[in-house]
Amino acid sequence: MTSDSRIGPFCFGSERETLRAFLDYQRATLAMKCEGLTDEELRQQSMPPSTLSLLGLVRHMAEVERAWFRRVFEDNDVPLVWSDEIDFQAAYDASASTREEAFTAWEAEVANSRRIEREAESLDQAGYQPRRGEEVSLRMVMVHVLLEYARHNGHADFLREGVDGTVGA
């Protein structure tokens, strides 16, 4: 990690502004954890039996963004990025992946998620979550995705340290 260019969430703002800022901060944290690494380093797995890698996390978060924003608010039937069978584990297999492939997909899904959120009239906007078979609010989706990032960024901390000893942020 060469630098920390993340913009920290502010201390005051509306609920929506706060959720948006924290979510973008967590997105930037994942990108920062991958900064300066080669494809091979990004594919480096943690420890057996886990096959978890930084690139696998980026791919997984592309799936999370798609599943919780695009599939809920636009097209319930759109396939996942790396699985037609809604297999979230498929994204973790980054053995043949590259930074370009994973980050291009992730950045496209993040842009789509941001657009969906900004176009929504309120956090109370309802969408249909096909995996759960129920309606969910944009508020719930934003909190859920925020928690997914926070959880996986903790994994990214350990993975990055394992790759090159870099710790922090």
Side-chain angles (χ1 to χ4, degrees):
M1 298 180 308
T2 55
S3 65
D4 186 350
S5 59
R6 298 172 300 166
I7 298 171
F10 30 81
C11 296
F12 293 93
S14 70
E15 178 186 16
R16 191 169 192 167
E17 291 167 333
T18 302
L19 284 171
R20 183 185 294 151
F22 270 96
L23 186 51
D24 279 342
Y25 185 79
Q26 291 296 323
R27 288 169 173 149
T29 298
L30 180 59
M32 187 180 76
K33 286 293 175 179
C34 298
E35 196 174 274
L37 297 177
T38 66
D39 286 356
E40 183 178 329
E41 289 169 325
L42 288 168
R43 286 190 296 265
Q44 187 174 317
Q45 297 175 353
S46 59
M47 63 180 163
S50 176
T51 59
L52 192 62
S53 68
L54 285 165
L55 210 52
L57 286 178
V58 172
R59 289 166 49 103
H60 173 70
M61 291 312 299
E63 299 287 33
V64 168
E65 295 271 2
R66 180 175 283 197
W68 283 99
F69 284 95
R70 187 180 299 190
R71 284 179 55 87
V72 168
F73 296 105
E74 286 189 336
D75 181 355
N76 297 148
D77 296 320
V78 70
L80 293 181
V81 182
W82 287 281
S83 170
D84 292 332
E85 276 85 45
I86 315 302
D87 175 9
F88 283 89
Q89 296 304 309
Y92 285 120
D93 181 8
S95 57
S97 185
T98 64
R99 172 190 293 277
E100 182 177 355
E101 177 229 20
F103 274 85
T104 297
W106 177 66
E107 289 165 358
E109 293 306 323
V110 167
N112 192 60
S113 297
R114 286 180 176 137
R115 179 188 54 76
I116 289 168
E117 182 271 320
R118 289 188 190 284
E119 290 175 358
E121 288 185 28
S122 81
L123 292 175
D124 293 323
Q125 179 172 321
Y128 180 75
Q129 206 331 316
R131 288 182 71 209
R132 291 182 174 207
E134 63 185 352
E135 285 194 342
V136 295
S137 70
L138 176 59
R139 176 184 293 101
M140 181 273 176
V141 167
M142 290 182 76
V143 170
H144 179 84
V145 174
L146 173 62
L147 293 173
E148 280 274 331
Y149 273 102
R151 174 177 175 236
H152 290 308
N153 281 340
H155 298 138
D157 287 337
F158 289 119
L159 288 163
R160 180 62 190 252
E161 184 176 8
V163 170
D164 67 359
T166 300
V167 296

